[in-house]
């Protein structure tokens, strides 16, 4: 388990070399091998939901499952992959809470020890979700020079963007703390979306956009999109086989009309996304899709995979959004504008 976690960490640039995770996976994989050897499959009613709502975690679980198959010579089903995803997802969520913190500055009058007490109370309430980086006893500051994501203040600060300040009562009631928690969550979500939107502009090439083409079969679509990437110098000759191998592990289709084929290796010459809008539904792993986004990532840009992959799938988790992008005859400019608009929503 430690070896597989180490390989997964290096491959996807995530830190899951966690002893609690190793122990939990060790117990689970031992039982998985017993079940697989005895031909007694197990059902996971959350399998489809995990794949839809947490695509990156599901992808990590597939990589893990592939190594389990090689190590123990047993098949790992889609349901078992989802159980592995629960273990990995729990570890990443704990890690994210510790590392992806919002910085907060507190404005509170200097009256006896009130500023110290409120700063401690706020820090205790926020826990790992945010950190208090400064406490000010006056709102008379050059806030453009204050390095904090949010300013918690009892009085509204002129010329400070409303999204950056949270106006609370002077005594920090429980209602105020609830409001602050909501603002912290919104700040984290906003920061994540902005990064993904900026990166998508670099990834989706005009030369890799196709609308209303003649391709109607899954492998035919993948073959032509890979060929387009090769023509642009994005990937090498082995990429097509790698994408098809990944499909054999678990279909990359989503029930909302979207498919996101990709390889399990990150050896593209550069990161890019090829898009195909089909006029007719394409049969894909038990689903029908009309929008295909072939994704290729370079190892030196693994952070793009972590930040863009999840955001892109979550953005397109609603069928109405996929339908908006997959309108037949849509040109490149309209597609990019709509995608950016959805990412900003």
């Amino acid at each position: 388990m430690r070896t597989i976690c180490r390989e997964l960490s290096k491959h996807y640039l995530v830190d899951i070399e966690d002893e609690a995770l190793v122990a939990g996976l060790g117990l689970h994989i031992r039982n998985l091998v017993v079940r697989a050897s005895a031909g007694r499959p197990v059902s996971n009613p959350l399998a489809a939901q995990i794949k839809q709502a947490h695509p990156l975690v599901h992808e990590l679980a597939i990589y893990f499952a592939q190594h389990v198959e090689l190590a123990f010579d047993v098949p790992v089903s889609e349901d078992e992959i989802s159980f592995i995803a629960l273990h990995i997802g729990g570890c990443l969520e704990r890690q994210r809470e510790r590392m992806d913190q919002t910085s907060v500055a507190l404005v509170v009058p200097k009256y006896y020890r009130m500023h110290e007490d409120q700063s401690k109370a706020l820090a205790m309430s926020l826990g790992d979700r945010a950190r208090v980086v400064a406490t000010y006893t006056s709102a008379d500051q050059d806030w453009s020079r204050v390095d904090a994501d949010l300013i918690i203040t009892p009085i509204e600060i002129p010329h400070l963007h409303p999204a950056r300040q949270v106006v609370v009562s002077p005594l920090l009631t429980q209602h105020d703390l609830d409001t602050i928690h909501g603002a912290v969550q919104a700040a984290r979500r906003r920061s994540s979306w902005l990064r993904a939107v900026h990166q998508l502009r670099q990834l989706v090439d005009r030369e890799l956009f196709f609308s209303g083409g003649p391709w109607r079969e899954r492998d035919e679509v993948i073959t032509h999109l890979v060929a387009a990437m090769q023509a642009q110098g994005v990937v090498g000759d082995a990429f097509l086989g790698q994408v098809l191998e990944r499909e054999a592990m678990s279909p990359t289709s989503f029930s909302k009309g979207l498919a996101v084929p990709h390889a399990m290796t990150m050896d593209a010459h550069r990161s890019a996304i090829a898009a195909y809008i089909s006029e007719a539904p394409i049969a894909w792993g038990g689903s029908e899709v009309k929008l295909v986004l072939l994704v290729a990532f370079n190892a030196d840009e693994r952070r793009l995979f972590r930040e863009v992959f999840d955001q892109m799938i979550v953005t397109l988790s609603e069928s109405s959004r996929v339908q908006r992008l997959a309108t037949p005859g849509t040109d490149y400019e309209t597609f990019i504008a709509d995608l950016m608009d959805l990412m900003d929503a």
Side-chain angles (χ1 to χ4, degrees):
M1 294 304 99
R2 290 192 183 95
T3 299
I4 299 176
C5 285
R6 190 178 305 116
E7 289 299 314
L8 194 153
S9 295
K10 289 193 299 183
H11 187 76
Y12 286 103
L13 202 65
V14 295
D15 182 13
I16 64 166
E17 296 182 59
D18 179 270
E19 282 302 302
L21 175 64
V22 168
L25 282 171
L27 291 171
H28 181 79
I29 298 304
R30 183 183 66 179
N31 293 330
L32 183 156
V33 172
V34 171
R35 289 193 296 269
S37 300
R40 300 181 63 180
V42 65
S43 176
N44 185 347
L46 298 176
Q49 185 177 350
I50 291 171
K51 180 180 178 180
Q52 293 283 344
H54 306 283
L56 175 56
V57 173
H58 186 261
E59 189 65 24
L60 299 178
I62 287 176
Y63 183 92
F64 197 98
Q66 184 183 51
H67 282 69
V68 169
E69 289 184 335
L70 292 173
F72 298 101
D73 192 28
V74 295
V76 180
S77 68
E78 185 76 28
D79 289 300
E80 294 283 14
I81 289 173
S82 298
F83 280 119
I84 295 172
L86 289 174
H87 286 273
I88 296 175
C91 176
L92 290 178
E93 182 62 22
R94 292 190 297 271
Q95 181 189 105
R96 185 183 65 83
E97 290 292 340
R98 291 194 301 267
M99 298 181 63
D100 190 18
Q101 291 183 327
T102 300
S103 56
V104 171
L106 176 65
V107 180
V108 59
K110 187 176 183 179
Y111 185 74
Y112 289 93
R113 294 180 51 188
M114 188 166 70
H115 59 296
E116 297 178 4
D117 294 340
Q118 288 200 12
S119 180
K120 292 178 182 178
L122 180 59
M124 184 178 297
S125 176
L126 291 172
D128 291 334
R129 287 166 290 187
R131 67 187 187 280
V132 180
V133 296
T135 300
Y136 298 95
T137 57
S138 170
D140 187 17
Q141 308 287 335
D142 182 359
W143 295 106
S144 64
R145 301 174 66 87
V146 173
D147 187 17
D149 299 315
L150 291 176
I151 311 298
I152 312 300
T153 173
I155 58 173
E156 186 173 347
I157 301 174
H159 312 301
L160 183 63
H161 196 282
R164 198 180 166 211
Q165 61 178 309
V166 183
V167 180
V168 297
S169 67
L171 296 178
L172 276 188
T173 65
Q174 184 59 52
H175 175 75
D176 292 326
L177 293 175
D178 292 342
T179 301
I180 294 170
H181 290 168
V184 166
Q185 184 65 29
R188 292 171 62 171
R189 188 164 54 245
R190 184 167 58 250
S191 176
S192 179
W193 283 108
L194 288 175
R195 286 197 305 269
V197 166
H198 173 73
Q199 291 156 351
L200 271 173
R201 295 180 187 275
Q202 306 173 43
L203 292 173
V204 185
D205 291 353
R206 180 186 296 272
E207 294 79 9
L208 297 176
F209 174 80
F210 305 91
S211 180
W215 317 320
R216 294 291 181 269
E217 302 293 332
R218 185 199 71 177
D219 289 2
E220 183 184 21
V221 172
I222 292 175
T223 299
H224 281 85
L225 291 182
V226 169
M229 281 192 167
Q230 290 175 327
Q232 295 300 317
V234 175
V235 298
D237 295 337
F239 188 67
L240 175 60
Q242 293 168 350
V243 173
L244 294 176
E245 180 183 4
R246 167 62 184 83
E247 286 292 334
M249 284 290 297
S250 177
T252 58
S253 57
F254 293 82
S255 61
K256 307 299 182 181
L258 169 71
V260 189
H262 55 278
M264 292 186 67
T265 56
M266 294 192 176
D267 53 4
H269 303 315
R270 63 181 176 89
S271 297
I273 296 175
Y276 174 60
I277 298 173
S278 177
E279 292 183 351
I282 303 168
W284 201 299
S287 302
E288 290 188 340
V289 306
K290 295 191 69 175
L291 175 61
V292 181
L293 300 175
L294 175 67
V295 180
F297 282 100
N298 177 274
D300 294 333
E301 300 170 317
R302 285 174 289 184
R303 291 191 184 278
L304 284 176
F305 180 85
R306 294 176 59 186
E307 296 182 347
V308 173
F309 190 78
D310 245 11
Q311 294 289 356
M312 184 171 63
I313 303 302
V314 171
T315 295
L316 300 177
S317 62
E318 297 180 12
S319 58
S320 60
R321 294 183 172 188
V322 175
Q323 291 171 8
R324 175 176 170 182
L325 289 176
T327 303
T330 297
D331 58 22
Y332 174 78
E333 288 77 11
T334 302
F335 178 82
I336 293 298
D338 286 344
L339 182 56
M340 295 302 104
D341 185 48
L342 291 172
M343 292 292 290
D344 278 331

